[in-house]
């Protein structure tokens, strides 16, 4: 027996037909090269082969029927190529096959119903990422030694056999991204049966059409389960209170279903959990304080539900958190400072809630933050200057709140792509450095109290990127922004000042005239008592003053004042 191994090289030729002459070859490894062309029929001459791998190449076409002559083969890897055509029927003749992998090709058609009876020794079966249709063969669970079954990313239909619960050594069952289920109550019966598979490690059935109520038995599934993925189905009911029993779970994905009720406090027992997602369901109640006990949590998705109450500060204990989504709920209270101290965060969104208070100054500690959204809340106060320390920011959404004051110095956020400050009470001038943000794709400053001249250079040249409407004291900018020219505003300001000056002069003149007249009149009254001639002189003096006042106003009108 001989071995031939050329694994992970850079051969770019077709698969040589001369391989068929190596009739005593037992081990043939040609994976991870750049081989192309088709598998030659002469390969069927290698009747002594026990191991055959063409994985990760560029081989195309179908599998020749001559492969059925390789009756001694135990391991067959054809994954990650460009094979096409129907599922190769010659495979059914390889009754000793223990590991079979055609993942990542273009095979079509369906599997034979008696698949499990023809290949009874299979331990590892990977047929995912192809174009397979039809039902899951009910004989598959007859393969008593089956450990790994991957049928994901196909177009399989029908039900998931409950008889998988009889496969004692089953460790991985990946059926996600198919069309399994019928929107009915019996779709999830297999979950109860799988509690018998005590070695189960991975169960993924996401993105199918599974209906029915989530059985409480899911909490009794193997304690060795590290990944439980049921998302993107039509599953209803509530998460069992004892879900914390699956203590080794690292991924719990229940998103995009019809689940209701509360998040169980027992989730806090899942200390190894890295991903918890219940987004896009109908869940309600408060977020359990106990989630803060999951200190290894990296991704927490609670968005698009009806969670209420305050955000538990205990989430600050999740010091490895990368992504936190809590948007589109009915959360109230303030943003806990503790969350702003999770320095690993790269994505944080709390938008579309009823949060109050200010944006914590500790936001500057989120040095790796790429996305921050607190839009559509009831936040107020000035934006913290520390916002400018989030140097990796790419998306910043603060719109529809009651923030006031000026835009803090964010000149360091040169990689930002989208910024939305709209619908607030922000004031002051628009920072000119924003024009030089080369990555900027969207800047919305609308409906605020900004004033002064809008820049016309850099990004401000493009009105499809910048929006500034609803700021009545802004001027200038490119024509597409439809703002008043700053020069006309200056002239209007001067005209208002001139009008005010004229009114002041007139007022002073009238007031002064009246004062003089009254003064002369008071003096005259005394004089009038002494002599008629004095009364006559006083009368003439008053007439003269009135004549002088009228001449003054006539001369001003002629001067255009």
């Amino acid at each position: 027996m001989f071995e031939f191994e050329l694994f992970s090289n850079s051969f770019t030729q077709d698969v040589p037909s001369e391989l068929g002459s190596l009739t005593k070859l037992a081990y043939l490894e040609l994976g991870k090269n750049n081989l192309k062309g088709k598998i030659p029929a002469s390969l069927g001459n290698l009747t002594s082969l026990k191991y055959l791998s063409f994985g990760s190449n560029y081989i195309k076409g179908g599998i020749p029927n001559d492969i059925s002559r390789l009756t001694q083969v135990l391991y067959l890897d054809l994954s990650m190529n460009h094979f096409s055509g129907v599922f190769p029927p010659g495979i059914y003749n390889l009754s000793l096959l223990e590991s079979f992998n055609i993942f990542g090709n273009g095979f079509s058609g369906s599997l034979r119903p008696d698949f499990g009876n023809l290949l009874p020794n299979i331990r590892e079966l990977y047929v995912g990422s192809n174009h397979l249709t039809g039902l899951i063969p009910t004989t598959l669970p007859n393969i008593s030694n089956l450990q790994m079954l991957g049928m994901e990313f196909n177009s399989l239909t029908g039900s998931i056999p409950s008889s998988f619960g009889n496969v004692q050594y089953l460790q991985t069952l990946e059926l996600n991204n198919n069309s399994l289920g019928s929107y009915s109550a019996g779709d999830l019966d297999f979950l109860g049966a799988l509690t018998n598979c005590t070695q189960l490690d991975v169960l993924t059935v996401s993105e199918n059409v599974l209906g029915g109520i989530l059985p409480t038995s899911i909490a009794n599934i193997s304690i060795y389960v590290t990944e439980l993925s049921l998302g993107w189905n039509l599953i209803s009911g509530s998460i069992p209170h004892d879900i914390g029993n699956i203590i080794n779970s690292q991924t719990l994905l229940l998103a995009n279903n019809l689940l209701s009720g509360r998040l169980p406090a027992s989730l806090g027992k899942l200390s190894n959990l890295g991903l918890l997602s219940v987004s896009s369901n109908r869940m309600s109640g408060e977020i359990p304080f106990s989630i803060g006990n999951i200190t290894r949590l990296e991704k927490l998705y609670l968005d698009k539900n009806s969670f209420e109450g305050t955000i538990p500060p205990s989430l600050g204990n999740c010091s490895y958190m990368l992504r936190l989504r809590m948007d589109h709920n009915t959360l109230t209270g303030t943003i806990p400072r503790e969350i702003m101290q999770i320095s690993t965060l790269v994505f944080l969104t709390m938008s579309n809630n009823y949060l109050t208070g200010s944006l914590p100054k500790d936001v500057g500690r989120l040095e790796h933050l790429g996305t921050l959204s607190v839009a559509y809340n009831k936040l107020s106060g000035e934006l913290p200057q520390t916002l400018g320390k989030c140097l990796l920011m790419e998306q910043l959404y603060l719109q529809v709140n009651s923030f006031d004051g000026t835009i803090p110095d964010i000149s360091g956020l040169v990689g930002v792509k989208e910024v939305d400050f709209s619908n607030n009470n922000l004031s002051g001038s628009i920072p000119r450095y924003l024009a030089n943000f080369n990555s900027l794709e969207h800047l919305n400053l609308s409906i605020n109290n900004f004033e002064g001249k809008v820049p016309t250079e850099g990004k401000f040249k493009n009105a499809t990127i910048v929006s500034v409407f609803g700021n009545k004291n802004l001027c200038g900018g490119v024509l597409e922004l439809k703002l008043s020219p700053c020069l006309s505003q200056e002239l209007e300001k001067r005209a208002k000042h001139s009008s005010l000056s004229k009114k002041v002069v007139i007022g002073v003149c009238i007031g002064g005239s009246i004062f003089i007249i009254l003064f002369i009149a008071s003096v005259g009254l005394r004089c009038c008592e002494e002599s008629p001639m004095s009364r006559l002189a006083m009368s003439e003096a008053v007439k003269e003053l009135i004549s002088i006042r009228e001449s003054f106003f006539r001369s001003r009108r002629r001067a255009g004042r």
Side-chain angles (χ1 to χ4, degrees):
M1 299 294 181
F2 298 96
E3 296 183 3
F4 187 74
E5 180 175 356
L6 291 172
F7 179 77
S8 190
N9 284 282
S10 300
F11 295 109
T12 57
Q13 62 188 41
D14 292 353
V15 180
S17 59
E18 290 80 5
L19 285 174
S21 62
L22 305 176
T23 55
K24 294 185 179 181
L25 204 60
Y27 185 101
L28 178 57
E29 171 62 88
L30 294 172
K32 288 192 176 181
N33 283 286
N34 293 313
L35 294 171
K36 51 188 179 179
K38 299 181 179 181
I39 289 183
S42 61
L43 204 67
N45 297 332
L46 307 182
T47 55
S48 298
L49 270 181
K50 295 184 181 297
Y51 183 103
L52 174 60
S53 174
F54 285 105
S56 299
N57 281 287
Y58 297 94
I59 307 172
K60 59 183 180 180
I63 307 297
N65 287 332
D66 299 80
I67 202 169
S68 62
R69 298 164 56 192
L70 308 181
T71 56
Q72 300 300 308
V73 73
L74 304 176
Y75 182 98
L76 178 57
D77 183 4
L78 305 174
S79 64
M80 302 300 292
N81 278 282
H82 298 292
F83 291 116
S84 57
V86 297
F87 183 86
I91 299 298
Y92 294 116
N93 198 47
L94 310 182
S95 59
L96 298 181
L97 201 58
E98 296 180 0
S99 180
F100 178 51
N101 190 349
I102 58 170
F103 177 89
N105 282 286
F107 290 112
S108 57
S110 57
L111 302 179
R112 285 177 53 167
D114 56 351
F115 188 103
N117 298 332
L118 297 173
L119 301 173
N121 295 304
I122 289 283
R123 291 184 295 105
E124 301 174 348
L125 177 60
Y126 302 106
V127 298
S129 291
N130 282 282
H131 306 299
L132 300 177
T133 56
L135 307 175
I136 297 175
T138 55
T139 57
L140 270 181
N142 295 343
I143 305 175
S144 59
N145 291 324
L146 187 63
Q147 298 177 16
M148 312 288 183
L149 177 58
M151 308 181 79
E152 71 276 22
F153 290 98
N154 281 289
S155 298
L156 301 174
T157 56
S159 60
I160 300 175
S162 295
S163 50
F164 276 123
N166 300 326
V167 184
Q168 182 179 1
Y169 302 109
L170 189 63
Q171 298 176 21
T172 298
L173 181 59
E174 295 181 305
L175 303 174
N176 52 287
N177 297 84
N178 281 285
S179 297
L180 298 167
S182 58
Y183 306 99
S184 63
D187 288 347
L188 301 179
D189 289 347
F190 73 95
L191 288 177
L194 287 176
T195 58
N196 297 322
C197 302
T198 57
Q199 296 185 30
L200 192 63
D201 177 29
V202 175
L203 173 60
T204 63
V205 294
S206 291
E207 299 196 49
N208 282 286
V209 289
L210 300 171
I213 296 175
L214 184 66
T216 56
S217 58
I218 194 70
N220 299 321
I221 208 163
S222 168
I223 61 171
Y224 298 108
V225 164
T226 59
E227 181 176 354
L228 180 58
S229 178
L230 308 175
W232 285 270
N233 282 289
L234 298 168
I235 301 173
S236 56
S238 59
I239 301 175
H241 293 294
D242 296 327
I243 195 69
N245 291 345
I246 51 175
I247 56 175
N248 289 300
S249 182
Q250 298 175 17
T251 297
L252 181 57
L253 180 56
L254 301 171
N256 290 78
N257 277 292
L258 304 174
L259 295 171
S260 56
R262 296 172 172 266
L263 274 179
S266 66
L267 285 168
K269 298 179 181 179
L270 306 181
S271 57
N272 295 314
L273 204 60
L275 167 62
L276 172 60
S277 178
V278 295
S279 63
S280 296
N281 276 284
R282 300 174 178 177
M283 306 197 70
S284 57
E286 296 187 356
I287 299 171
F289 189 89
S290 60
I291 290 184
N293 297 333
I294 314 174
T295 55
R296 297 184 183 180
L297 199 58
E298 295 181 357
K299 300 175 183 178
L300 176 60
Y301 301 143
L302 306 177
D303 53 296
K304 298 181 181 67
N305 281 284
S306 297
F307 291 118
E308 58 191 21
T310 59
I311 300 172
S314 60
L315 291 179
N317 298 330
C318 304
S319 56
Y320 296 99
M321 188 85 75
L322 298 173
R323 305 176 70 87
L324 176 58
R325 297 199 61 140
M326 311 182 79
D327 52 286
H328 291 85
N329 283 287
T330 57
L331 297 171
T332 55
T334 59
I335 299 175
R337 288 184 56 191
E338 289 81 358
I339 289 180
M340 299 297 170
Q341 296 171 6
I342 307 175
S343 60
T344 53
L345 274 175
V346 298
F347 187 98
L348 174 61
T349 173
M350 299 177 171
S351 60
N352 294 84
N353 282 288
Y354 298 98
L355 300 175
T356 55
S358 61
L359 184 63
K361 295 180 180 178
D362 296 88
V363 67
R365 301 179 65 173
L366 305 180
E367 297 179 356
H368 299 94
L369 197 61
T371 297
L372 173 63
S373 178
V374 293
Y376 295 91
N377 277 288
K378 296 182 177 181
L379 299 170
S380 59
E382 295 188 1
L383 294 174
Q385 292 294 327
T386 56
L387 194 61
K389 295 183 178 180
C390 303
L391 300 181
L392 299 181
M393 190 78 74
E394 293 187 356
Q395 286 90 28
L396 178 60
Y397 305 113
L398 306 175
Q399 69 268 28
V400 193
N401 281 287
S402 296
F403 292 121
D404 55 33
T406 59
I407 296 178
D409 182 5
I410 57 172
S411 57
L413 310 188
V414 293
V416 73
K417 296 179 180 178
E418 298 185 8
V419 178
D420 199 330
F421 287 119
S422 63
N423 284 269
N424 279 286
N425 299 316
L426 297 171
S427 58
S429 59
I430 297 175
R432 292 191 174 277
Y433 56 74
L434 293 173
N436 301 320
F437 282 9
N438 293 329
S439 300
L440 194 62
E441 299 172 358
H442 176 74
L443 173 63
N444 193 348
L445 303 172
S446 303
I447 313 179
N448 277 286
N449 299 314
F450 293 116
E451 59 185 9
K453 185 177 181 180
V454 175
T456 55
E457 63 273 11
K459 293 296 180 176
F460 285 89
K461 293 179 181 179
N462 191 342
T464 62
I465 293 177
V466 178
S467 178
V468 295
F469 74 90
N471 291 275
K472 61 182 180 180
N473 293 320
L474 283 178
C475 64
V478 296
L479 292 176
E480 290 83 355
L481 294 178
K482 299 179 180 179
L483 296 174
S484 301
C486 293
L487 180 60
S488 64
Q489 284 197 355
E490 182 63 27
L491 290 175
E492 183 180 345
K493 192 180 296 183
R494 290 181 181 178
K496 289 181 179 178
H497 178 73
S498 176
S499 176
L500 179 61
S501 300
K502 181 170 68 176
K503 291 178 181 178
V504 170
V505 170
I506 293 173
V508 170
C509 289
I510 294 174
S513 299
I514 293 173
F515 174 78
I516 293 172
I517 292 170
L518 291 176
F519 175 76
I520 294 173
S522 63
V523 174
L525 285 175
R526 291 178 185 159
C527 296
C528 286
E529 294 176 357
E530 300 177 1
S531 163
M533 290 299 294
S534 298
R535 287 197 295 269
L536 180 60
M538 180 61 63
S539 175
E540 291 298 327
V542 170
K543 289 179 180 180
E544 183 66 23
L545 284 172
I546 293 174
S547 176
I548 292 172
R549 181 175 63 85
E550 290 178 350
S551 296
F552 171 78
F553 285 115
R554 279 198 302 272
S555 64
R556 290 186 63 85
R557 283 196 293 271
R558 283 197 298 269
R561 296 182 179 178

